[in-house]
Amino acid sequence: MSFSDPNSGNDGVLPYSSPSEVCTSETVGAESILLVDDTIVLRERMAVAMQSRGFRVTTAGNYDEAVAVFSQSPTDLAVLDLRMPGRSGLDLLRRLLEIKPDCRILMLSGFGSIPASIDAVRAGAVNFLSKPADTDDILSAFIRGEGQNVPEGGLAFPAPSLARNEWEHIHRVLSDCGNNISEAARRLGIHRRSLQRKLRKRAPEDPKTPGADDVFEDDED
């Protein structure tokens, strides 16, 4: 679906920053972009920001919608959410490249993971970003990502710390439970209070950053 005029006053659209002097459709070298995310508020907010930077914007909420709109009107760029109801962002990435091999695609994930980033780039994505990512982050990644290749064995990506793996797993389970803390605690096999304490922690820093291993301390139920 094409995104409507940003001045139309859509309910639920969050404020967005002024267009960057650097990251615009002209500097990225593209005129159109497809945004695919099952969270409508985030999708609409990003669409407003992309349109303000000179892009013709289309949006979709899942694999089937994205394939339908892209087949009808292929875009120069695409930003895909990795985890969506139904078929995944990786499946969609492969399908879009079948339709338009020169489409430049960026993968986003709320659960940044090293294996997922390697899979996305090897499947044809120009880059991979963890959420939250603002418009300038995304457009800068398109510029940086041109010609990017993953070395054999993915040696460019350091192994994540145990703390980072734990944080990602907890938030993935919580998302699968619809943010129901009691159900997530049950599935994780820990006390609800312990889970709440862990959820108050910030995400661990990137691997090899001092102090990352201390983010999650052992909890006693």
Side-chain angles (χ1 to χ4, degrees):
M1 64 191 73
S2 294
F3 185 71
S4 59
D5 191 317
N7 297 318
S8 60
N10 290 316
D11 291 337
V13 177
L14 299 178
Y16 62 93
S17 59
S18 299
S20 166
E21 294 181 358
V22 176
C23 295
T24 65
S25 62
E26 183 176 357
T27 56
V28 176
E31 297 180 352
S32 57
I33 188 167
L34 169 67
L35 307 174
V36 185
D37 196 303
D38 60 304
T39 304
I40 187 169
V41 172
L42 297 179
R43 188 171 75 236
E44 299 288 272
R45 178 191 182 193
M46 191 188 305
V48 169
M50 290 295 183
Q51 195 173 61
S52 75
R53 284 160 170 76
F55 289 96
R56 173 176 62 81
V57 181
T58 55
T59 65
N62 56 48
Y63 177 97
D64 292 333
E65 288 181 6
V67 170
V69 298
F70 192 81
S71 298
Q72 183 176 8
S73 181
T75 55
D76 301 321
L77 308 178
V79 180
L80 315 180
D81 190 15
L82 178 64
R83 290 170 59 88
M84 300 180 288
R87 301 184 68 172
S88 72
L90 277 179
D91 289 338
L92 179 57
L93 181 152
R94 297 184 181 101
R95 182 69 183 110
L96 297 188
L97 290 178
E98 289 177 358
I99 299 171
K100 190 176 189 292
D102 63 344
C103 180
R104 292 148 60 193
I105 301 176
L106 177 74
M107 191 70 70
L108 294 179
S109 175
F111 309 99
S113 85
I114 304 305
S117 63
I118 293 174
D119 289 343
V121 174
R122 284 180 173 166
V126 300
N127 218 321
F128 181 100
L129 289 179
S130 296
K131 294 180 179 178
D134 65 22
T135 306
D136 286 338
D137 291 335
I138 291 169
L139 296 181
S140 295
F142 273 114
I143 296 172
R144 291 195 313 272
E146 291 183 343
Q148 177 177 349
N149 292 307
V150 176
E152 186 65 29
L155 296 178
F157 297 89
S161 66
L162 289 175
R164 181 72 189 189
N165 276 332
E166 181 186 26
W167 185 89
E168 290 182 8
H169 179 63
I170 286 173
H171 282 78
R172 187 175 296 115
V173 171
L174 183 63
S175 177
D176 290 343
C177 295
N179 292 323
N180 185 312
I181 294 179
S182 296
E183 176 60 19
R186 186 189 68 80
R187 295 189 188 185
L188 291 165
I190 62 177
H191 195 280
R192 187 176 188 277
R193 291 194 300 273
S194 295
L195 177 57
Q196 288 176 315
R197 286 195 293 271
K198 289 179 180 292
L199 291 173
R200 287 194 291 267
K201 302 289 185 179
R202 296 179 58 188
E205 299 295 332
D206 290 334
K208 301 185 183 302
T209 299
D213 293 333
D214 298 327
V215 174
F216 286 112
E217 74 274 15
D218 291 333
D219 293 312
E220 292 183 3
D221 292 342

